[in-house]
Amino acid sequence: MSLTAVAEAVGGRLVDVIDPGVQVTEPAVFDSREAGPGSLFVALAGEHADGHAFAESAHNKGAVVALVNRPVGVPAIVVDDVLRAFGTLAHTLLTGPLAATRVVAITGSAGKTSTKDFVSQVLPGSVVATPQSFNNEIGLPLTVTMADTTTDHLVLEMGARHIGDIRDLTLVAPPDISIVTNVGTAHIGEFGGRDNIAEAKGEIVEALAPGGLAVLNADDDYVQPMRERAGGSVVTFGLGEDADVRATDLSTDAHGRTSFTLVTPEGSAPVQLQFVGGVQVHNSLAAAAVGRGAGLTPEEIAARLSRAVPRSRWRMETVTRADGVTVVNDAYNANPTSVRHALEALASMSGGAEQRSVAVLGRMNELGDDARAAHEEIGRHAAAQGLDMIVLVGGDEAGWMRDGVRDAGGRATWVPDQEAALGLLHPALRPGDVVLVKASRAVQLQRLVEELLKPAPPAGRLTGGSR
């Protein structure tokens, strides 16, 4: 789009622009270090930095224009509200140049990112998908700008912390296909209860374009009723016989990967997943339902699911050290549902004296008044898995998990920070052990993973803790 066209779309005015016919030809960026020739720099004022201060740097790297709320001395489009204008631009793209691109929208309390990875590898043609977990009012329009007129499908995660958040995202990107993975307890402190979470997640179904497709989890009692909120057709997925797309004959290998028979109304075919964890069966079935809607045969869907690999960092990311210790990095985020699934996957990946299981857990955020009970329950669930070692990192939340472990008759070690965890784990681990590391993103336990993956990290390498 020309600078003139962009300015008209967002209701802005051109400032310090020599040639309004210059084209924006590359995706938008928020980080001036990622700017390049043809890009659009979006200047957002954040908690710690104001993007307007970096507009000149972005311009020097090739950005042809900056979207700003005040002049910045380089070519710019000035608007009253930068974020709102950026959403408007994304909507303009989807209703104009990208009108032929089908939008697949995904939400749920857990599993959004893995489902996105499956869907993006099952769908035929050119697919653009949400990078990392860019699933809010900033990341969603950014993903839209990554598509072009050759893009057949745009796969978008949609996250929420309040009722109305997903509705706002669907106003930017109206979905042709909507997927709801589940309704759990993530962000329950913000929502105030699972009923409210279900109300919020169901907005993605209500927003379906005429003739759209809702893909719903038949095994989730909070998701099933959403079929009444769908204006288009509905396809369900799950393990029960009432699901339209389901899995039978499940088995798990020594690496925690599940194989099953994919069953659809058109036929069945065998699947061997490359993703770790039993929960990935449901995520893959959601993608299978989307592939079926795209006209793929059961055999084609099964083959694509079997080839699909994780594309997102720190989500059951599995690496085996040279000495045979396997580290499972699931430190991107955590909620009660995802932690339970991760612990179950850990138990399936280990067994016996030569393959011990070690869980390293930190706090789960945004649980509100349910925080203590939720952490205690995770402790009990960890104890029930028969793990060989449980290490709990941090403050009160880690203590609550320890209480839960003890209530269930298990044993756990509570350490104050990552430094102490490393000091405990490093001499204790031996070849064959499987170590799961999981906590909410703010805890930053991926730093512990980085140290664990080094051949011989000396004590004192980590600074700071999770308190």
Side-chain angles (χ1 to χ4, degrees):
M1 298 175 70
S2 69
L3 302 192
T4 297
V6 174
E8 289 177 353
V10 301
R13 59 189 177 91
L14 296 173
V15 175
D16 295 320
V17 171
I18 298 174
D19 181 4
V22 168
Q23 299 277 317
V24 179
T25 58
E26 297 296 319
V29 297
F30 294 99
D31 188 334
S32 62
R33 294 168 296 185
E34 297 177 0
S39 63
L40 166 74
F41 176 67
V42 183
L44 290 178
E47 209 175 301
H48 305 293
D50 186 346
H52 290 76
F54 301 92
E56 184 176 359
S57 175
H59 174 72
N60 291 338
K61 287 181 175 294
V64 293
V65 73
L67 188 61
V68 297
N69 61 23
R70 61 181 183 272
V72 287
V74 297
I77 298 171
V78 179
V79 294
D80 293 331
D81 185 324
V82 173
L83 190 54
R84 183 181 295 276
F86 190 41
T88 299
L89 176 60
H91 184 76
T92 300
L93 290 171
L94 287 171
T95 55
L98 303 179
T101 300
R102 289 175 60 78
V103 174
V104 182
I106 305 170
T107 196
S109 296
K112 292 187 295 295
T113 300
S114 294
T115 301
K116 171 204 68 182
D117 285 351
F118 276 120
V119 170
S120 65
Q121 294 174 77
V122 165
L123 282 171
S126 173
V127 181
V128 170
T130 301
Q132 302 178 48
S133 281
F134 287 8
N135 59 21
N136 61 11
E137 69 277 13
I138 300 173
L140 183 137
L142 176 67
T143 306
V144 173
T145 71
M146 296 169 61
D148 60 32
T149 54
T150 68
T151 303
D152 297 299
H153 295 94
L154 186 60
V155 184
L156 301 173
E157 283 188 53
M158 294 189 178
R161 283 180 167 79
H162 309 91
I163 291 175
D165 286 352
I166 290 176
R167 180 190 63 240
D168 291 344
L169 295 176
T170 61
L171 291 175
V172 174
D176 297 291
I177 300 172
S178 292
I179 303 171
V180 183
T181 61
N182 50 60
V183 173
T185 54
H187 313 304
I188 197 167
E190 300 282 343
F191 281 106
R194 288 184 74 186
D195 287 338
N196 289 341
I197 295 174
E199 178 65 25
K201 300 302 183 185
E203 292 169 356
I204 204 169
V205 176
E206 293 176 341
L208 277 169
L213 174 67
V215 177
L216 304 178
N217 186 345
D219 297 334
D220 191 307
D221 291 339
Y222 283 85
V223 175
Q224 285 194 64
M226 293 180 191
R227 64 167 55 247
E228 305 301 324
R229 301 166 67 177
S233 57
V234 175
V235 172
T236 60
F237 64 91
L239 303 183
E241 292 187 2
D242 58 338
D244 300 315
V245 176
R246 58 194 178 95
T248 63
D249 308 318
L250 279 71
S251 63
T252 304
D253 66 15
H255 301 288
R257 301 172 303 195
T258 304
S259 62
F260 60 89
T261 300
L262 172 68
V263 180
T264 75
E266 293 75 33
S268 61
V271 175
Q272 171 62 67
L273 297 180
Q274 305 304 311
F275 287 61
V276 172
V279 68
Q280 303 297 351
V281 174
H282 275 83
N283 298 335
S284 67
L285 289 175
V290 174
R292 177 174 174 264
L296 298 178
T297 66
E299 292 77 14
E300 289 171 328
I301 295 169
R304 289 167 184 254
L305 288 176
S306 298
R307 290 195 300 267
V309 295
R311 288 180 170 175
S312 303
R313 296 185 63 197
W314 306 343
R315 293 171 178 83
M316 298 301 287
E317 187 176 9
T318 303
V319 178
T320 300
R321 299 188 329 198
D323 64 357
V325 172
T326 297
V327 180
V328 183
N329 183 354
D330 200 27
Y332 190 87
N333 216 338
N335 60 66
T337 300
S338 67
V339 177
R340 285 195 295 271
H341 289 155
L343 289 168
E344 291 161 7
L346 171 63
S348 74
M349 296 172 68
S350 55
E354 300 302 318
Q355 199 173 36
R356 300 180 304 168
S357 53
V358 181
V360 184
L361 306 176
R363 71 175 183 269
M364 301 175 291
N365 288 340
E366 298 180 337
L367 296 176
D369 294 338
D370 294 329
R372 180 167 193 146
H375 283 88
E376 290 176 348
E377 175 55 32
I378 285 300
R380 288 189 288 271
H381 193 72
Q385 303 309 307
L387 307 177
D388 295 288
M389 187 176 184
I390 301 172
V391 180
L392 307 170
V393 184
D396 290 342
E397 296 87 353
W400 297 337
M401 285 190 281
R402 181 198 58 180
D403 293 343
V405 172
R406 289 178 173 177
D407 288 346
R411 297 179 58 186
T413 303
W414 178 14
V415 296
D417 53 34
Q418 298 189 48
E419 192 82 50
L422 181 63
L424 175 69
L425 291 165
H426 189 48
L429 296 177
R430 63 192 191 207
D433 290 350
V434 182
V435 185
L436 167 72
V437 181
K438 188 164 182 64
S440 282
R441 181 72 179 275
V443 182
Q444 297 288 295
L445 274 192
Q446 75 275 2
R447 293 168 49 248
L448 176 62
V449 173
E450 292 169 0
E451 295 300 318
L452 285 173
L453 288 177
K454 295 177 181 177
R461 289 286 289 273
L462 286 172
T463 60
S466 58
R467 282 190 182 275

